[in-house]
């Protein structure tokens, strides 16, 4: 009965019937040469059937995977320039290698999306959620990632995003949330706007920051040691307790910036603008300040030991000079220079 059931399940070849027929023949009635030939034939049929099955399986896999591979190659070179996907839920989609230049993704949910090597020049990502997105190698030159203009004024979110090799040249990331994002040495923020952006504890000093606009940004206790901040804008930024030692601040604008207890030791701040900056208790040991503007700056208890002060503008604004008395006594024994300015001292 079992043999009959198994026989009914066979499709293209009755292999079980051949085996049962072979086994039902008395062995002693079969001559040795015939018995050997019969078993060779049986095993040949078994191997042939298995081989055909394996070939059919590979052919099936090939037929299934070929459309997927073709679709992947198509998507990799797909141009979606200027497409409007604003407000769409696109979580965990793979846009790697695509061209999304000038596309509109404002307010879109892009959590966990992959944009590796994606061209997103001039794209609009206002208020987009890019949490944990992979933007490695993506080109976001001149892209806009400012808060959307909707009712809730939501900022662009790039928390825990991978920004390795991403290019944000001249992009606008004002008020963007970059906390926890992976910023590497080849992340390019050159001439980008990062006004009031939130960096949390991410190592922004590793990025290219030439000409970056960090005005009014909270950068307290941030580590910018050795960073290239040439022509960077820090107008009204809070850099209290920040470490900017050995950094390059040539032509940087720190007007009205808060630099209390910050470290600028050995920094190159030639021709930098510190107008009305608050440098109280700041350390500027061996800093290069040639032709820097310190007009109206507050330097109470600032340490300028061995600082290069050639042609520094320490002029007092007219409004401040009329109200403030002058200081004529030494601040400490042993070589402290006196000054006519009421708010700062200089260690010789």
């Amino acid at each position: 009965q079992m043999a009959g059931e198994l026989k009914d399940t066979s499709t293209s070849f009755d292999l079980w019937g051949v085996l049962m027929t072979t086994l039902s023949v008395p062995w002693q009635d079969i001559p040795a040469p015939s018995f050997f030939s019969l078993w060779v034939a049986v095993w040949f049929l078994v191997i042939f059937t298995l081989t055909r099955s394996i070939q059919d399986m590979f052919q099936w896999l090939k037929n299934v995977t070929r459309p997927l591979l073709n679709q992947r190659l198509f998507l990799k070179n797909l141009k979606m320039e200027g497409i409007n996907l604003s407000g769409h839920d696109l979580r965990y989609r793979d846009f790697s290698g695509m061209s999304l230049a000038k596309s509109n993704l404002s307010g879109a949910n892009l959590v966990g999306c992959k944009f590796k090597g994606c061209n997103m020049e001039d794209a609009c990502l206002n208020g987009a959620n890019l949490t944990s997105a992979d933007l490695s190698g993506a080109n976001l030159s001149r892209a806009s990632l400012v808060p959307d203009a909707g009712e809730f004024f939501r900022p662009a979110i790039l928390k825990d995003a991978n920004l390795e090799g991403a290019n944000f040249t001249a992009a606008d990331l004002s008020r963007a949330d970059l906390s926890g994002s992976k910023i590497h040495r080849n992340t390019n923020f050159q001439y980008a706007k990062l006004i009031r952006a939130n960096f949390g504890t991410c190592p922004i000093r590793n990025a290219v920051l030439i000409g970056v606009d960090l005005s009014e940004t909270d950068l307290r206790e941030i580590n910018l040691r050795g960073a290239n901040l040439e022509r960077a804008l820090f107008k009204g930024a809070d850099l209290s307790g920040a470490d900017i030692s050995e950094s390059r601040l040539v032509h940087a604008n720190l007007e009205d910036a808060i630099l209390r207890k910050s470290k600028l030791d050995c920094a190159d701040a030639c021709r930098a603008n510190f107008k009305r900056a608050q440098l109280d208790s700041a350390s500027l040991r061996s800093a290069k300040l040639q032709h820097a503007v310190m007009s109206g700056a507050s330097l109470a208890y600032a340490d300028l030991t061995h600082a290069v002060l050639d042609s520094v503008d320490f002029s007092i604004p007219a409004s401040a000079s009329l109200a403030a008395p002058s200081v004529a006594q030494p601040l400490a024994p042993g070589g402290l220079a006196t000054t006519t300015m009421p708010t700062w001292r200089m260690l010789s």
Side-chain angles (χ1 to χ4, degrees), residues 90-102:
L90 302 167
R91 287 174 293 178
Y92 304 104
R93 301 293 177 88
D94 191 351
F95 297 94
S96 299
M98 294 187 188
S99 179
L100 293 165
K102 299 181 181 179

Side-chain angles (χ1 to χ4, degrees), residues 1 38 51 53 55 57 125 183 186 223 225 243 258 262 273 280 339:
Q1 183 181 359
L38 181 62
T51 303
S53 299
Q55 288 178 347
M57 181 181 67
L125 293 150
I183 297 177
N186 52 357
N223 184 4
R225 189 183 186 93
D243 187 359
I258 303 172
S262 59
N273 182 7
D280 304 327
T339 175

Side-chain angles (χ1 to χ4, degrees), residues 30-46:
I30 302 176
S34 301
F35 180 79
F36 177 76
S37 301
L38 181 62
W39 275 105
V40 169
V42 169
W43 281 111
F44 175 79
L45 291 174
V46 170

Side-chain angles (χ1 to χ4, degrees), residues 65 153 204 258 266 297 300 312:
T65 57
F153 201 63
I204 185 177
I258 303 172
C266 301
V312 176

Side-chain angles (χ1 to χ4, degrees), residues 101-123:
K102 299 181 181 179
S103 59
N104 186 1
L105 293 161
S106 58
N109 188 351
L110 302 170
V111 174
C113 286
K114 293 182 179 180
F115 294 96
K116 297 177 66 175
C118 187
N119 181 19
M120 304 173 76
E121 285 183 310
D122 300 296

Side-chain angles (χ1 to χ4, degrees), residues 79-219:
K79 291 185 178 181
M80 300 176 66
E81 298 177 359
I83 193 170
N84 187 0
L85 296 171
S86 59
H88 283 68
D89 188 353
L90 302 167
R91 287 174 293 178
Y92 304 104
R93 301 293 177 88
D94 191 351
F95 297 94
S96 299
M98 294 187 188
S99 179
L100 293 165
K102 299 181 181 179
S103 59
N104 186 1
L105 293 161
S106 58
N109 188 351
L110 302 170
V111 174
C113 286
K114 293 182 179 180
F115 294 96
K116 297 177 66 175
C118 187
N119 181 19
M120 304 173 76
E121 285 183 310
D122 300 296
C124 180
L125 293 150
N126 298 342
N129 189 350
L130 289 150
T131 302
S132 301
D134 188 355
L135 291 159
S136 56
N139 182 9
L140 290 105
S141 300
R142 300 179 301 279
S144 177
L145 292 99
V146 299
D148 61 7
E151 179 181 356
F152 301 103
F153 201 63
R154 295 171 301 182
I157 302 174
L158 291 94
K159 293 178 66 174
D160 303 313
N162 183 8
L163 306 180
E164 182 180 1
N167 183 10
F168 291 96
T169 301
D172 194 347
L173 293 99
S174 298
R175 298 179 184 269
D177 187 356
L178 292 143
S179 56
S181 59
K182 300 175 180 64
I183 297 177
H184 297 257
R185 290 190 179 277
N186 52 357
T187 304
N188 190 355
F189 287 111
Q190 193 166 357
Y191 295 102
K193 287 185 180 180
L194 291 159
I195 300 171
R196 297 187 182 182
N198 177 24
F199 293 100
T201 57
C202 65
I204 185 177
R205 73 188 182 108
N206 294 334
V208 180
L209 299 169
I210 299 174
V212 67
D213 189 350
L214 290 159
S215 300
E216 302 177 11
T217 305
D218 186 356
L219 300 168

Side-chain angles (χ1 to χ4, degrees), residues 294-305:
M294 291 281 185
S295 177
S298 174
L299 287 146
Y301 302 102
D303 188 354
L304 289 153
T305 304

